[in-house]
Amino acid sequence: TSSNSSISDNNSCYSLEGAVYGLYSDAEASQEIGKLITDVNGDSNTINDLSPNTYYVKEIAAPKGFVLDSKIYPVEVKAQETTKLEVKDTPGNDPVSITLNKVDSSTGETVQGGASLAGAEFKISYYAGYYDEKTLPSQATRSWVVATQEKINTITKRPVFRTLLKPEYLVSGDELYFHEGIVTMPLGTITIEEIKAPTGYSLENKYLEVVGGDGTKFTKYITQVTMDNNIPLLKGGNEFSVPNQIIRGDIEGVKVGESTHKRLGNVPFKITSKSTGENHVIVTDKNGQFSTKRVAHSKNTNAGTSYNDGVWFGSDKVDDSLGALPYDTYIVEELKGEGNKGYELIPAFEVTIDENKQVVNLGTLKDEPIVPPTLKTTAVDKATQSHVGAVSSKTIIVDTVAYTNLIPGKEYTLKGTLMVKETKEPLMVDGKEVTAEKTFIPKEKNGKEELEFSFPSTVLEGKTVVAFERVSTDKVEIATHTDINDEDQSVHFPKIGTKASVDGQKEVTTKNEVVLVDEVSYENLISGKEYTLSGILMDKKTNSPLLINGKEVKSQTKFTPNTSSGSVDVTFIFSASELGGKEVVAFESLKSEKVEIATHTDINDEGQTVKIVKQNIKIHTTASASDGGKTIKATKDVTIIDKITHEGKFIIGNKYKLKGILMDKESGKEVLVNGKPVTAEKEFVADKEQMELNLSFTLDASNLKGKSLVVFEELYDVTNVSKEEKVSEHKDINDEGQTVKVENPTTKTLTKEGVKTGDKAPLFLFLSTFAISFGSLAAYVIYKKRNKSVDFIVK
C-alpha cells in the first residue's frame, strides 16, 4: 500500500502495480528463491511449495511513482499456511519550498514613488498527472493563492518582498499537501502565475524568471515533479524572480488669465512627490500649455527652465516610452514667474497617478488678476453685543473681520491690536499690548473671521478703544484696517459721575419730604441710543442701602442722549424726619440693553453725598415802636418793629420765611383791624449761620387805645417750595419784650412846659394835684422796677 494515500490516490503519476519483491533464503538477500510482483491493487502472486522456514523479502523494483523500499523483511512460513506480508511504499514527493521574489523591473528591489512590492498575489496550481501547455486540464487538482510580504534581508539589512507556498503566506486555496508534517508537492504538474500586481505596479508584460536558470521568461510557468533515479525532483528549480513594471503616467494642462482668458506662457509649476519629496519644475509654452509627455523625458531632463525641458521621476533609467511620473500622489504648485505677473497664483493641489500610461488632464487653470485684499471690521462688546462697552474686570471684545480677494486654500494670519482712541496709542495692560491672533485658510476669496480680545476695562472709563486689524501671508502683510475714527471698529466705554443735592444744597433738614436730585454726568455714550440709570441711596456710616420703613430708596430713569456727553437727573423722594445726623450717598448704575456698562459707587465721594441735619433754632423777639419806645400812639399808620435774634444756626443757602401776628394781651386773641388780623412776613436766604432780622407791622391803632399788643413770631424753612417746614416760634403772651402799648389820650399828663402863665386854676390845686401824681408815679416806678420795665411819659 501507499504510505501517504492523500498524495498517491487518484493520481495517474502513481500505481501500486509492478512492484517487484525478491524472496530470499538468507538474511543478506543473496540467495533468491522466487519473485513476487504486485497487481494494480498492490497484491502480489503467491509462491507455493515452500518448506516451513524463515525467509526474507526485499523490494527490487518500486511501482510507478513510488520510492524503492530498501528494507529487508523477515517472514516466518508455517506448514499448511499462506503467509501474507504487508508493506508500504512512500509515494514520490518533493518537500519543495517554492519561493517567489517580487522586484521592480527597473530598479530591482528598490521601490519607486508611492508604490509597494508587498501584496503581489500568485496562483500556484497542481495537476495530478503529467501535462504540457496543450494538454493541461481546465481544472486543477488543487490550487492556492499566496501573497508577497516585506521582510528584512538578514545580510544586507534591506527590505525584500517574497512569498512561499506556506500557510503564513496563504491568501486562499485548497488544503496543502503534507508529508511527515512538511508542506510537499506530489508528482505531477505545477503552474505558477501572477494574478495581482502589488500597489503601483502593472501586470502588463508579467513574467517569471527561474533564479539561477538560463534567463528564460515565462508569463505562466509550467513545470513538473518527477522521479529521477528514485528521487522526486521539481524540474527547473524552485526559486523565481518576478519583476513588475511600475505604473507610470503623465499630467498636462493649460494656464490662462481668469477674466481675459489670456494664455499665460513661461509660468513654472513645481511637481512634488508626496512619498519621496522628489520634485521637478515644468514650464508652460507660449500658448500656456504644459505636459510631462509632450517633450521627451530624456531632453534636458529636469532642467526646469523652459517648456522644452523633459521631466522624469524615479531612480530607474529614463525611458521615453514610459510616463514621466511613477505611481504616486503629487502636489502641483504654481510658482511666480514672468508669465503670471499681476495675477493671483492658484493654490497648490494634488493629482494621483494610479493607472499605467494614464495622462491626467488638469484642464484650464485660471489665475485671477490681482485685486488688493480689503478688510472691514465690526467690533462689539461681547456682553452688550454693541459698540457700548461694559466696564468690567474681564471684558471681551469680538471683532468680526470681513475680507475680500484672498486666495482660497492659502494660509493667512489675522492679527488685531486694540488702540486707545484718545491717545492713538496701543492699549497696554501689565506693560503689554492687548492683541489677538489666528491663522485661517479661506474656502472662498471673500469671507469673515472673528478675533476675540480679552482684557480688564476698568481703566477705560470715558475712553474708546478701536480694533486695528492686519492680514499677512508668507510673513508679508497684505491688508490692514486701521482707521482710528471708524465707528464700526470702535467700542465706547462710558464714565459717569454724580452730584447729589436738595434744591442745590448739600445739607437738608429733617423734614417729612425730601426731594434729592442726583445730577448724573456722563461721558462717551452713543447719541440716539436709549440708556437706563438706576440709583439707590446708601447710608454712608454703614455702607449699606438706606432703609426707610424697611424699604430701600431707589429711583430709575431712562434717557436717550443727543450728544456723547451730558447729564441727566435721577430723583429720590423720601421722608427725612427720622434721619437727622445721617449722610446719604447716591449710588448710580448705567445700563444699556439690560447690561450694566458703568457705575459710580464711591461711598466717600462728597459729590454724591447729602447731609441731613436737625435745625435746632430758637428765636427771640423784641418789639418796639419805630422810635424805639415801647408805646405807640392810637393813630393811623403806626409801625411796630420786631427785632429777631436766635440760638442755633441757619443753614447757609436755605430759604426761610418769618411770619408775625399781633395779639391782644388782655384777651389773648388776635388783634383785629377792620375785621382782619395784623400780620407781617419776610422771606430771606441765609447767607450766614447767625443773623439778626427785623419784621415790621404797620397798622391803624386809632381804635386800640390803651391796649397792650404782643408780637407772636414763627420761622419756616421754605427751601422745598412744595412744602414749608416750621423751624421755630416765639409766642409768649406775657413777654414784655414782645409787647408794645397803645397810649390812652384821656389820661392827664404833665407837660414839659409845666403850668402855663395865666392858668385860672388856683396854685394850691396845682400843688395838691402834683403831689398826688408824684406819689402815684413813685408807686408805679417801684412796680415797674420789679417787672424790669418802666414806661415814663411826661408832657
Side-chain angles (χ1 to χ4, degrees):
T1 60
S2 171
S3 65
N4 192 337
S5 59
S6 66
I7 290 177
S8 56
D9 284 359
N10 302 313
N11 191 328
S12 62
C13 296
Y14 300 92
S15 176
L16 295 175
E17 184 180 9
V20 179
Y21 288 85
L23 181 64
Y24 301 94
S25 60
D26 61 317
E28 289 77 22
S30 59
Q31 303 293 321
E32 183 178 303
I33 298 174
K35 287 184 171 61
L36 298 165
I37 301 173
T38 60
D39 59 16
V40 293
N41 295 316
D43 296 329
S44 72
N45 55 303
T46 302
I47 300 177
N48 300 312
D49 300 327
L50 293 177
S51 300
N53 203 347
T54 297
Y55 296 89
Y56 298 92
V57 177
K58 179 183 178 184
E59 187 174 31
I60 55 178
K64 177 183 176 182
F66 287 89
V67 178
L68 182 67
D69 184 3
S70 60
K71 187 177 179 181
I72 299 174
Y73 298 93
V75 179
E76 185 71 29
V77 177
K78 296 180 180 179
Q80 304 300 317
E81 293 181 7
T82 298
T83 302
K84 291 184 178 182
L85 173 65
E86 293 186 2
V87 293
K88 294 180 181 292
D89 272 357
T90 300
N93 67 91
D94 186 2
V96 59
S97 177
I98 297 175
T99 302
L100 301 169
N101 298 308
K102 173 57 65 178
V103 296
D104 186 294
S105 61
S106 299
T107 66
E109 293 178 350
T110 303
V111 179
Q112 299 187 73
S116 173
L117 291 171
E121 293 184 2
F122 296 88
K123 184 176 183 181
I124 301 175
S125 298
Y126 169 76
Y127 299 86
Y130 295 116
Y131 306 98
D132 57 21
E133 292 180 359
K134 294 180 181 180
T135 61
L136 195 68
S138 60
Q139 184 67 38
T141 305
R142 294 187 188 184
S143 62
W144 308 273
V145 176
V146 292
T148 56
Q149 297 179 12
E150 181 177 354
K151 303 291 182 179
I152 300 298
N153 187 304
T154 56
I155 297 175
T156 65
K157 306 302 180 182
R158 296 175 59 187
V160 293
F161 302 87
R162 63 178 44 166
T163 186
L164 293 87
L165 187 58
K166 289 186 176 181
E168 58 264 34
Y169 294 91
L170 199 63
V171 175
S172 64
D174 299 315
E175 184 181 355
L176 292 168
Y177 289 108
F178 288 90
H179 184 66
E180 296 179 352
I182 299 173
V183 177
T184 190
M185 193 65 73
L187 303 181
T189 303
I190 297 172
T191 64
I192 303 174
E193 181 182 16
E194 184 177 7
I195 60 173
K196 178 183 176 182
T199 301
Y201 286 86
S202 172
L203 281 177
E204 295 181 27
N205 302 318
K206 61 183 179 179
Y207 57 85
L208 293 80
E209 295 176 335
V210 180
V211 176
D214 58 3
T216 304
K217 298 177 181 179
F218 309 91
T219 56
K220 183 175 183 179
Y221 183 67
I222 299 178
T223 187
Q224 296 174 341
V225 179
T226 61
M227 294 294 293
D228 187 0
N229 293 325
N230 203 41
I231 298 174
L233 293 174
L234 178 63
K235 292 182 178 180
N238 64 341
E239 186 172 359
F240 305 86
S241 174
V242 191
N244 283 97
Q245 172 62 52
I246 192 168
I247 289 173
R248 280 187 171 270
D250 292 283
I251 62 173
E252 62 184 14
V254 177
K255 168 58 65 175
V256 300
E258 169 64 36
S259 56
T260 63
H261 293 285
K262 176 184 177 182
R263 300 291 182 110
L264 303 181
N266 201 26
V267 175
F269 284 88
K270 183 170 73 171
I271 306 169
T272 304
S273 164
K274 286 190 71 174
S275 299
T276 66
E278 181 182 2
N279 64 83
H280 302 294
V281 173
I282 188 170
V283 182
T284 63
D285 63 13
K286 60 184 178 181
N287 292 314
Q289 295 179 328
F290 62 96
S291 172
T292 60
K293 180 181 180 182
R294 184 182 60 182
V295 180
H297 312 317
S298 58
K299 183 178 181 181
N300 302 325
T301 306
N302 297 331
T305 57
S306 78
Y307 63 88
N308 274 323
D309 297 332
V311 176
W312 181 259
F313 278 77
S315 56
D316 54 344
K317 185 179 179 181
V318 177
D319 187 340
D320 290 335
S321 67
L322 302 176
L325 307 173
Y327 176 94
D328 204 349
T329 296
Y330 296 86
I331 300 171
V332 180
E333 179 184 4
E334 182 180 4
L335 305 177
K336 291 182 179 180
E338 289 296 322
N340 53 17
K341 276 187 176 180
Y343 289 89
E344 295 283 1
L345 306 189
I346 62 172
F349 59 93
E350 293 184 358
V351 61
T352 298
I353 301 295
D354 58 3
E355 294 181 18
N356 203 31
K357 300 178 182 179
Q358 176 185 25
V359 179
V360 180
N361 190 329
L362 304 176
T364 302
L365 306 178
K366 299 177 181 180
D367 279 352
E368 299 246 6
I370 292 176
V371 179
T374 63
L375 298 180
K376 178 67 176 175
T377 71
T378 303
V380 297
D381 186 305
K382 191 172 184 179
T384 66
Q385 289 297 302
S386 71
H387 295 296
V388 178
V391 176
S392 170
S393 59
K394 184 177 181 181
T395 294
I396 296 176
I397 288 180
V398 179
D399 195 20
T400 302
V401 183
Y403 57 82
T404 64
N405 301 318
L406 298 188
I407 300 174
K410 188 175 179 65
E411 185 176 88
Y412 293 88
T413 299
L414 176 63
K415 183 175 182 180
T417 302
L418 286 187
M419 306 292 290
V420 180
K421 183 175 183 178
E422 289 72 16
T423 64
K424 297 181 175 60
E425 296 290 336
L427 173 63
M428 306 294 289
V429 175
D430 296 331
K432 296 180 180 179
E433 295 181 3
V434 178
T435 62
E437 184 175 320
K438 77 181 300 186
T439 298
F440 68 101
I441 299 175
K443 294 181 179 179
E444 305 288 341
K445 68 177 183 178
N446 301 333
K448 293 181 179 180
E449 292 290 336
E450 284 188 354
L451 282 183
E452 286 194 357
F453 303 85
S454 181
F455 61 99
S457 58
T458 49
V459 297
L460 289 174
E461 286 186 315
K463 292 183 172 58
T464 297
V465 293
V466 185
F468 279 13
E469 304 293 352
R470 292 175 168 82
V471 169
S472 61
T473 183
D474 300 327
K475 298 182 180 180
V476 177
E477 187 175 283
I478 60 171
T480 63
H481 192 57
T482 55
D483 183 358
I484 198 71
N485 296 311
D486 187 347
E487 280 299 309
D488 286 339
Q489 287 180 269
S490 303
V491 176
H492 304 268
F493 290 92
K495 179 180 180 179
I496 60 173
T498 72
K499 185 177 180 182
S501 65
V502 177
D503 291 326
Q505 303 303 311
K506 300 297 288 180
E507 289 187 356
V508 63
T509 57
T510 53
K511 49 189 176 182
N512 290 330
E513 185 177 274
V514 171
V515 180
L516 186 152
V517 177
D518 194 19
E519 181 183 3
V520 182
S521 60
Y522 55 81
E523 299 176 25
N524 214 24
L525 298 188
I526 297 177
S527 60
K529 184 177 180 65
E530 186 180 76
Y531 298 87
T532 301
L533 264 173
S534 299
I536 185 171
L537 294 185
M538 304 290 289
D539 185 332
K540 182 175 181 178
K541 184 176 182 180
T542 63
N543 195 16
S544 59
L546 178 68
L547 297 178
I548 297 179
N549 296 326
K551 296 182 179 180
E552 297 176 349
V553 182
K554 294 182 178 180
S555 183
Q556 186 181 92
T557 185
K558 293 184 178 181
F559 68 102
T560 302
N562 295 321
T563 58
S564 62
S565 298
S567 64
V568 64
D569 290 343
V570 179
T571 302
F572 303 85
I573 300 175
F574 60 98
S575 172
S577 59
E578 302 298 327
L579 301 180
K582 284 189 179 293
E583 292 183 86
V584 295
V585 185
F587 278 12
E588 299 290 353
S589 168
L590 180 64
K591 292 184 178 180
S592 172
E593 303 293 343
K594 299 182 180 180
V595 178
E596 186 176 75
I597 58 175
T599 61
H600 196 64
T601 55
D602 184 358
I603 199 70
N604 295 311
D605 187 346
E606 288 298 321
Q608 291 177 264
T609 305
V610 171
K611 296 180 180 179
I612 300 175
V613 298
K614 293 181 179 179
Q615 295 201 62
N616 188 17
I617 298 175
K618 184 176 182 180
I619 60 174
H620 304 280
T621 66
T622 302
S624 63
S626 57
D627 60 359
K630 298 293 285 183
T631 303
I632 59 174
K633 292 181 180 181
T635 62
K636 292 183 177 181
D637 298 325
V638 294
T639 299
I640 296 175
I641 298 174
D642 195 24
K643 182 179 180 181
I644 297 96
T645 59
H646 64 91
E647 298 175 11
K649 298 178 181 180
F650 285 112
I651 297 175
I652 297 174
N654 276 21
K655 189 175 183 180
Y656 295 89
K657 180 185 288 187
L658 270 173
K659 293 182 179 181
I661 188 171
L662 294 183
M663 304 293 291
D664 184 342
K665 182 174 182 180
E666 285 71 25
S667 66
K669 296 181 178 179
E670 298 172 348
V671 174
L672 298 178
V673 177
N674 296 323
K676 296 180 180 180
V678 181
T679 62
E681 285 189 4
K682 182 177 185 177
E683 288 189 359
F684 64 95
V685 175
D687 57 4
K688 294 183 293 184
E689 292 180 345
Q690 300 290 333
M691 300 181 68
E692 290 188 1
L693 304 166
N694 292 325
L695 194 62
S696 296
F697 300 83
T698 301
L699 68 153
D700 181 357
S702 55
N703 294 321
L704 301 177
K705 301 179 181 75
K707 287 188 177 291
S708 294
L709 307 182
V710 183
V711 181
F712 278 13
E713 298 282 3
E714 291 179 339
L715 176 65
Y716 291 87
D717 187 327
V718 293
T719 305
N720 185 346
V721 295
S722 63
K723 187 175 182 181
E724 296 180 347
E725 178 191 6
K726 183 187 288 187
V727 175
S728 183
E729 65 179 27
H730 194 195
K731 298 179 179 180
D732 185 356
I733 198 71
N734 295 312
D735 189 344
E736 288 297 321
Q738 291 180 266
T739 305
V740 174
K741 292 183 178 180
V742 182
E743 67 180 11
N744 188 348
T746 59
T747 302
K748 294 290 185 178
T749 59
L750 183 64
T751 64
K752 293 180 181 179
E753 293 83 358
V755 181
K756 294 182 179 179
T757 306
D759 192 344
K760 296 179 179 181
L763 179 58
F764 75 92
L765 180 61
F766 170 76
L767 293 174
S768 63
T769 302
F770 178 81
I772 295 169
S773 298
F774 186 81
S776 299
L777 176 61
Y780 185 75
V781 168
I782 295 170
Y783 171 80
K784 284 296 182 180
K785 280 187 177 180
R786 291 177 181 175
N787 288 275
K788 300 180 181 179
S789 178
V790 176
D791 292 332
F792 180 57
I793 300 173
V794 177
K795 287 192 176 182

